[in-house]
């Protein structure tokens, strides 16, 4: 789909003329591109299986339960990937804009493959961290390009479900990594196998990417008009693509006038995309506390009194819930809408965080194992939290930003999305264990309070985008109670240096 921008002779009003069929060519392209999520997901799952953790479990079982895993080597190992992804996303923006989405996907697969090889053969912590940096570059490129690719390839009516293939493969990557961890934990060299198997999704994405078509949007951006129309016809399964193709061309003409997309993103008319898409949603996605649960699920469940093997199986249950929740979201997000899932799942997540905090405050932290019933209750509550996240902030944290940016700022906007996301991922990963040690059960109350704030943010500032073509997203801002003061059509008058607000 195109990203029509604000300068459009038809104001994006041709979207009702778009036609499409679901073709095998379209399905293949989306599945291959979505494999980029499996890189991110497998790393999230396998990074839990850090060998230092198991050594500390055996040596320091008598310590205060909240603090015995406060390990800066572990957190540096975890966070190094996200800092590398943060920095690489700006290079990814240049490649995505000038060379295409496909080029970024291929480069990301190569970098991730090299990182997996380095990690599997590491002889010291320095090699592990360097390998993590290569993985981070791969994730930075993949996370920058894949959500854009899926949103641009998808028809508006099913864009939500198609874009969430990225989240689904992320969840499946985590799920598979947990089974691999379970199978290899008994072997001294098992962690090498777990880390080395990250080469598999990287190879699949690279080989598939060689046959991947570029998006029509990107081809038009590059001036390859005939090829763009041919791909659009093949992806849509019809030759009746004139309306959509013309919107692509007009959007591209607007984009070519923008020489500095990052600077353009700061303009007043792009304020909603900047505040909601580039800054708010990617930051809040990490501040739910979900990635802390995923990063350290074995650590958390070990602290809750489960044995080493049981802790890994308990974290497998939670990641299985994440896969189920993503499938639920894919099935219904284009029917019920983005706001519905954000708000109803947000309420569920708040209740779960409060329940975990109250339970731990009453029953935990004295160096004793929890009663079996309490432990099972906590696993159930955490799984409910995961179900809430998995149908809301998890998939929608990537879907909604990819819908909001016009073509002229899309690659720059997505780079900021990834940058902010990775910064807060690294921040939470770096701070979670030490925060767990000092705040104890209060860390879960903190996450619950943050979810209250982000739910209010969504309720007041995010309009519903379900089934709205990307060309027409700017019309939502023009009619929104708050954003309309920033985003009125260019032919409307300005008063006193400010855009006139017409009720």
């Amino acid at each position: 789909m195109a990203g029509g921008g604000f300068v459009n002779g038809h104001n994006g009003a041709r979207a009702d003329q778009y036609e499409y069929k679901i073709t095998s060519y379209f399905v293949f392209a989306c599945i291959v591109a979505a494999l980029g999520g499996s890189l991110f997901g497998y790393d999230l799952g396998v990074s839990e299986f850090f060998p230092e953790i198991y050594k500390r479990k055996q040596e320091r079982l008598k310590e205060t339960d909240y603090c015995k895993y406060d390990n800066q080597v572990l957190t540096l190992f975890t966070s190094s990937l996200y800092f590398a992804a943060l920095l690489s996303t700006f290079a990814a923006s240049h490649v995505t804009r000038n060379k295409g989405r496909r080029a970024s996907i291929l480069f990301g697969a190569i970098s991730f493959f090299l990182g997996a090889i380095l990690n599997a053969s590491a002889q010291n912590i320095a090699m592990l961290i360097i390998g993590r940096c290569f993985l981070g570059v791969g994730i930075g490129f993949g996370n920058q390009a894949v959500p854009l690719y899926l949103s641009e390839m998808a028809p508006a009516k099913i864009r939500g479900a198609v874009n969430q293939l990225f989240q689904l493969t992320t969840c499946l990557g985590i799920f598979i990594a947990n089974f691999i961890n379970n199978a290899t934990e008994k072997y001294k060299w098992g962690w090498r196998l777990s880390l080395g198997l990250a080469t598999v999704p990287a190879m699949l994405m690279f080989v598939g990417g060689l046959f991947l078509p570029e998006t029509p949007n990107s081809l038009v951006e590059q001036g390859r008009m005939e090829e763009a129309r041919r791909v659009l016809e093949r992806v849509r399964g019809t030759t009746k693509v004139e309306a959509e193709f013309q919107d692509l061309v007009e959007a591209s003409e607007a984009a070519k006038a923008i020489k500095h997309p990052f600077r353009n993103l700061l303009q007043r008319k792009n304020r909603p995309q900047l505040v909601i898409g580039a800054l708010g949603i990617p930051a809040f996605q990490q501040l739910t506390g979900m990635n802390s649960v995923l990063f350290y699920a074995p650590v958390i469940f070990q602290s809750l009194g489960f044995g080493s093997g049981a802790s890994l199986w308990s974290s497998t249950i939670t990641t299985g819930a994440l896969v189920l929740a993503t499938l639920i979201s894919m099935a219904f997000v284009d029917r019920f809408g983005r706001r519905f899932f954000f708000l109803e799942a947000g309420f569920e997540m708040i209740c779960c965080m409060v329940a975990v905090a109250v339970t731990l405050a009453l029953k935990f932290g004295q160096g004793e194992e929890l009663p079996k019933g309490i432990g099972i209750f906590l696993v159930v509550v955490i799984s409910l939290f995961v179900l809430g996240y998995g149908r809301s902030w998890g998939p929608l944290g990537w879907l909604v930003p990819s819908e909001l940016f016009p073509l002229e700022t899309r690659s720059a906007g997505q780079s900021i999305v990834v940058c902010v996301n990775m910064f807060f991922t690294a921040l939470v990963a770096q701070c979670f264990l030490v925060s767990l040690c000092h705040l104890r059960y209060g860390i879960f109350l903190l996450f619950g309070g943050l979810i209250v704030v982000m739910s209010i943010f969504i309720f007041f500032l995010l309009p519903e985008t379900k089934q709205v073509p990307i060309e027409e997203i700017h019309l939502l801002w023009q009619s929104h109670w708050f954003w309309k003061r920033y985003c009125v059509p260019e032919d409307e008058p300005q008063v006193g240096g400010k855009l006139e607000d017409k009720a």
Side-chain angles (χ1 to χ4, degrees):
M1 301 295 291
F6 293 86
V7 182
N8 189 323
H10 294 268
N11 261 339
R14 289 182 290 223
D16 59 347
Q17 302 174 38
Y18 294 4
E19 296 186 22
Y20 75 93
K21 299 175 184 176
I22 303 299
T23 66
S24 58
Y25 188 70
F26 167 75
V27 172
F28 166 79
C30 291
I31 290 175
V32 170
L35 285 173
S38 66
L39 307 185
F40 192 25
Y42 187 84
D43 181 80
L44 281 174
V46 83
S47 64
E48 301 168 356
F49 197 47
F50 185 57
E52 184 72 11
I53 277 292
Y54 293 97
K55 180 180 177 182
R56 288 174 64 86
K57 283 179 183 176
Q58 300 305 316
E59 292 177 351
R60 309 185 73 173
L61 288 175
K62 299 293 185 182
E63 294 184 16
T64 303
D65 295 299
Y66 285 107
C67 296
K68 64 184 174 183
Y69 303 123
D70 179 14
N71 182 347
Q72 290 305 302
V73 175
L74 168 67
T75 52
L76 177 61
F77 173 79
T78 300
S79 301
S80 57
L81 178 143
Y82 301 102
F83 287 121
L86 184 156
L87 295 174
S88 68
T89 187
F90 294 104
S93 173
H94 177 79
V95 173
T96 301
R97 179 179 170 89
N98 296 287
K99 303 298 182 182
R101 286 57 165 154
R102 177 174 172 269
S104 284
I105 291 172
L106 290 172
F107 187 89
I110 293 170
S111 182
F112 197 89
F113 181 87
L114 294 175
I117 293 295
L118 271 174
N119 275 354
S121 59
Q123 301 300 311
N124 50 55
I125 190 65
M127 285 186 68
L128 278 172
I129 292 175
I130 292 171
R132 292 281 290 174
C133 289
F134 274 96
L135 295 177
V137 171
I139 287 174
F141 272 78
N143 287 14
Q144 207 276 347
V146 171
L148 291 186
Y149 187 96
L150 294 174
S151 286
E152 290 181 346
M153 293 292 275
K157 291 185 178 180
I158 59 170
R159 187 175 62 241
V162 171
N163 185 277
Q164 289 191 45
L165 285 171
F166 178 76
Q167 178 70 9
L168 178 63
T169 57
T170 299
C171 299
L172 288 172
I174 298 169
F175 191 62
I176 292 169
N178 270 280
F179 275 102
I180 292 173
N181 291 345
N182 293 338
T184 60
E185 68 158 328
K186 65 186 72 171
Y187 303 108
K188 184 177 181 180
W189 44 266
W191 65 273
R192 291 188 184 276
L193 179 61
S194 291
L195 296 177
L197 285 175
T199 57
V200 175
M203 286 189 294
L204 290 175
M205 193 169 88
F206 178 78
V207 173
L210 295 176
F211 301 95
L212 203 63
E214 186 55 83
T215 69
N217 310 63
S218 181
L219 292 170
V220 170
E221 267 189 302
Q222 298 172 52
R224 297 154 63 182
M225 299 298 182
E226 291 185 9
E227 185 179 355
R229 186 180 184 107
R230 187 166 61 251
V231 170
L232 184 62
E233 290 177 353
R234 193 172 179 188
V235 168
R236 295 290 179 259
T238 177
T239 58
K240 299 177 181 179
V241 297
E242 184 61 32
E244 184 171 2
F245 185 72
Q246 283 303 119
D247 280 344
L248 286 171
V249 172
E250 290 178 9
S252 178
E253 290 172 354
K256 288 177 180 177
I258 304 301
K259 302 301 181 183
H260 304 286
F262 284 98
R263 188 184 306 168
N264 182 263
L265 192 57
L266 299 176
Q267 291 184 3
R268 182 182 178 88
K269 68 178 183 180
N270 291 323
R271 197 65 48 80
Q273 296 94 317
L274 177 67
V275 173
I276 298 177
L279 301 177
I281 288 179
F284 285 147
Q285 186 191 50
Q286 301 310 316
L287 294 176
T288 59
M290 181 60 206
N291 271 1
S292 297
V293 174
L294 291 180
F295 286 151
Y296 303 113
V299 177
I300 292 172
F301 287 119
Q302 177 74 10
S303 292
L304 297 181
F306 294 86
S308 174
S311 70
L312 284 170
W313 281 111
S314 298
S315 65
T316 301
I317 293 172
T318 60
T319 54
L322 191 58
V323 173
L324 175 61
T326 305
L327 291 172
I328 293 172
S329 187
M330 289 178 67
F332 296 108
V333 72
D334 288 314
R335 181 183 304 177
F336 296 127
R338 285 62 160 152
R339 283 169 52 86
F340 173 81
F341 278 114
F342 270 131
L343 296 175
E344 65 87 17
F347 177 76
E348 177 181 324
M349 293 163 69
I350 293 165
C351 293
C352 290
M353 286 291 96
V354 172
V356 171
V358 171
T359 303
L360 295 182
L362 296 175
K363 296 291 186 180
F364 185 67
Q366 306 302 319
E368 299 178 3
E369 288 192 359
L370 289 171
K372 183 177 180 180
I374 297 296
I376 292 173
F377 171 76
L378 284 170
V379 172
V380 171
V381 172
I382 289 176
S383 296
L384 289 174
F385 174 84
V386 171
L387 281 170
Y389 175 89
R391 66 179 185 274
S392 60
W393 285 96
L396 301 184
W398 294 107
L399 166 61
V400 174
S402 73
E403 297 177 317
L404 299 185
F405 299 103
L407 186 61
E408 58 263 31
T409 60
R410 191 171 301 161
S411 61
Q414 186 66 16
S415 286
I416 297 179
V417 170
V418 176
C419 181
V420 171
N421 187 288
M422 292 301 151
F423 174 80
F424 278 91
T425 303
L427 181 67
V428 172
Q430 197 69 30
C431 297
F432 176 72
L433 289 182
V434 67
S435 298
L436 180 65
C437 179
H438 290 89
L439 296 179
R440 296 152 55 95
Y441 60 84
I443 188 67
F444 298 100
L445 290 177
L446 174 61
F447 285 132
L450 288 170
I451 298 170
V452 171
V453 172
M454 59 187 72
S455 297
I456 293 172
F457 176 87
I458 292 296
F459 181 81
F460 285 107
L461 296 182
L462 179 68
E464 183 53 65
T465 59
K466 71 171 182 178
Q467 298 189 9
V468 179
I470 298 179
E471 296 82 10
E472 296 188 2
I473 294 293
H474 67 283
L475 300 176
L476 299 178
W477 310 126
Q478 293 173 16
S479 60
H480 188 270
W481 73 272
F482 180 79
W483 297 119
K484 64 183 179 181
R485 70 192 68 184
Y486 297 96
C487 307
V488 296
E490 289 191 346
D491 57 355
E492 291 195 15
Q494 298 186 19
V495 178
K498 294 183 178 181
L499 293 172
E500 185 177 35
D501 188 1
K502 293 189 176 181

